[in-house]
Amino acid sequence: MSTIEITTQVAVVGGGPSGLTMAYLLRQAGIDVEVVENRSRPYTVDRVRAGVLEQSAVELLTKAGLGERLHTEGQKHDGIYLQFDGEKHRVPFADLINRSVWVYGQQEVMKDLLVAHDKQGFSAHYECDNVALHNLLTDAPSVTYTQNGQDVRITARFIIGADGFHGISRPSIPESEITHHERVYPFGWLGILADVEPSTDELIYAIHDDGFAMHSMRSNTVSRLYLQVDPEDDIANWSDERIWEALQTRLGHPGFTLKEGPITEKSITPMRSWVSSPMRYGNLFLVGDSAHIVPPTGAKGLNSAFGDIAVLTPSLLDFFTTGNEKGIDAYSKDSLDRIWRTQNFSMYMTNMLHRFYSDNPAQDDFDYRSQLGQLRTVVNSRHGMAFLAENYTGIVW
């Protein structure tokens, strides 16, 4: 059986929110794009991922015509709560810096993107096996894969690697040409989805003697909650009753009632920070989790990917319309400058809000009390709260 040959201007590897947003924006501008995804279309929608969008991400989606449902069904939040020592303090983003965030799950973003792509008359190539990248240092790099037993080759001018941390794009770069920076945290997040009305109007970030806890939400009827746990723990050890008991303990404070309901999903996710540099190799560009991941404490995962897209898309358009390579040549450096600022904030939030345990209880107690001092410094200072607000709502692209 002969190989099917496809020629396009841009090939995007990865049909998640990063890849589909990139493809949609390029197609809007008249650029030919093909998207390759190894999973099924339903799988890309069903994955439970990020739920907080920065203001710049909302502006990007809105400008692209992807914000109608976001603005009607998403929840605009003008602040967050920091909770410690049995006290809850609000950081008022809108009052401090006139910026906000939106609670709108990645699954909802994916639904909007798929509808938009269908209206364009385009669809990703789903359930592609044996995906591989070739000739990345040439002006005609290619993506090969097998779909339903048929071999396919897509030849493009550029390839966008948007296939996540476990994808094929980053490993396609020779190890001699890329540097990996990593920090692994000694804890994970046990996350649940529960069919229960949120017990709070805005996100609560809490540190307790027992560890970190967080109350988020996905809608007016679905709550998303997290607990700091051992990353090696087995979710089978956590019955629904044990989870709710731990959440009640860590989130409890005078005058607050945590509503409980049926838990529909639960899992434990290890936490790490990762950056790969550079984010370009030849005519392959890395976007989102394929190049960098962050602990979720600062709500930066999907937002960081949108930042990459906001930088790379106009640079590619400039190249295709004028031949100017200045933007694409600067992409890696410009993105990494922003990413390291994002990594710093994510680490700041993670270190401030989680318990770190060692074999030295006296040191652990000292560190915990120092964290409480840091939190009190933040909430007692307008400048401290403004720093948090500026970074949490997102670096302006």
Side-chain angles (χ1 to χ4, degrees):
M1 183 183 298
S2 60
T3 299
I4 295 176
E5 301 282 351
I6 300 173
T7 301
T8 190
Q9 290 174 287
V10 177
V12 176
V13 182
S18 303
L20 289 190
T21 301
M22 188 94 206
Y24 183 76
L25 294 176
L26 290 172
R27 284 177 181 147
Q28 270 192 325
I31 304 301
D32 291 331
V33 186
E34 298 288 339
V35 179
V36 175
E37 168 60 47
N38 69 334
R39 302 285 192 170
S40 68
R41 175 165 167 157
Y43 178 89
T44 65
V45 179
D46 292 340
R47 286 178 294 184
V48 177
R49 293 291 188 272
V52 176
L53 296 179
E54 298 173 352
Q55 182 158 325
S56 293
V58 171
E59 292 169 354
L60 174 73
L61 294 171
T62 302
K63 184 178 179 181
L66 297 167
E68 180 179 355
R69 204 164 63 90
L70 189 163
H71 286 283
T72 57
E73 299 181 21
Q75 302 176 48
K76 182 182 178 183
H77 286 195
D78 293 329
I80 60 170
Y81 295 107
L82 297 178
Q83 184 173 309
F84 56 96
D85 264 356
E87 305 171 1
K88 188 170 73 171
H89 303 263
R90 185 170 185 262
V91 181
F93 300 157
D95 294 343
L96 290 163
I97 60 169
N98 196 32
R99 288 176 69 80
S100 304
V101 296
W102 275 254
V103 173
Y104 193 67
Q106 176 176 312
Q107 293 163 293
E108 305 308 316
V109 174
M110 279 297 300
K111 293 173 186 176
D112 296 338
L113 284 164
L114 290 171
V115 168
H117 277 270
D118 290 344
K119 288 182 178 178
Q120 281 184 332
F122 293 95
S123 179
H125 304 279
Y126 291 101
E127 299 182 77
C128 299
D129 298 322
N130 306 315
V131 180
L133 310 186
H134 312 273
N135 304 320
L136 298 177
L137 297 179
T138 74
D139 289 342
S142 62
V143 182
T144 58
Y145 61 92
T146 303
Q147 188 181 47
N148 298 322
Q150 174 68 61
D151 293 332
V152 182
R153 177 187 291 110
I154 299 176
T155 302
R157 182 62 178 84
F158 298 108
I159 296 175
I160 310 301
D163 50 347
F165 182 75
H166 298 289
I168 190 63
S169 295
R170 187 184 64 253
S172 297
I173 301 175
E175 282 297 314
S176 60
E177 302 298 324
I178 194 167
T179 301
H180 307 298
H181 311 272
E182 181 180 26
R183 178 178 180 179
V184 178
Y185 292 89
F187 41 74
W189 273 16
L190 188 162
I192 67 166
L193 277 176
D195 285 340
V196 61
E197 177 186 0
S199 306
T200 179
D201 58 334
E202 294 176 332
L203 277 66
I204 302 173
Y205 287 80
I207 186 171
H208 183 272
D209 287 358
D210 294 346
F212 170 81
M214 179 180 176
H215 190 325
S216 182
M217 63 282 291
R218 284 297 179 266
S219 70
N220 293 327
T221 59
V222 177
S223 295
R224 182 77 161 143
L225 300 106
Y226 300 94
L227 289 166
Q228 174 186 346
V229 298
D230 185 329
E232 302 299 323
D233 205 343
D234 187 339
I235 193 63
N237 295 328
W238 287 84
S239 66
D240 292 3
E241 292 75 16
R242 183 187 179 192
I243 291 171
W244 284 118
E245 180 181 359
L247 287 167
Q248 292 284 1
T249 297
R250 299 187 198 183
L251 291 171
H253 63 272
F256 175 76
T257 300
L258 177 64
K259 302 169 187 174
E260 299 184 12
I263 295 176
T264 58
E265 293 186 29
K266 57 183 176 180
S267 62
I268 294 175
T269 303
M271 295 178 67
R272 59 152 53 115
S273 300
W274 174 286
V275 178
S276 293
S277 175
M279 291 172 60
R280 178 187 182 183
Y281 175 71
N283 286 315
L284 166 67
F285 297 86
L286 301 180
V287 166
D289 286 358
S290 62
H292 45 79
I293 57 175
V294 291
T297 325
K300 295 302 172 195
L302 181 56
N303 292 296
S304 296
F306 282 140
D308 296 340
I309 292 165
V311 172
L312 183 55
T313 301
S315 299
L316 290 173
L317 295 180
D318 191 27
F319 173 83
F320 283 120
T321 54
T322 70
N324 183 4
E325 298 186 27
K326 184 177 179 180
I328 59 175
D329 288 344
Y331 167 71
S332 180
K333 180 183 182 305
D334 290 348
S335 293
L336 286 168
D337 286 347
R338 171 179 45 80
I339 290 303
W340 279 115
R341 291 172 63 189
T342 300
Q343 290 284 355
N344 173 260
F345 177 69
S346 296
M347 185 171 65
Y348 160 83
M349 290 285 284
T350 302
N351 289 342
M352 183 169 63
L353 289 162
H354 290 77
R355 292 297 312 271
F356 287 80
Y357 299 103
S358 70
D359 295 330
N360 187 335
Q363 176 180 297
D364 295 345
D365 179 68
F366 182 94
D367 291 345
Y368 176 48
R369 294 179 185 281
S370 178
Q371 289 171 283
L372 299 180
Q374 182 183 8
L375 281 159
R376 201 163 292 284
T377 298
V378 171
V379 300
N380 287 335
S381 165
R382 185 175 180 86
H383 294 294
M385 289 195 295
F387 167 80
L388 193 155
E390 287 173 356
N391 285 273
Y392 194 93
T393 60
I395 298 168
V396 180
W397 304 328

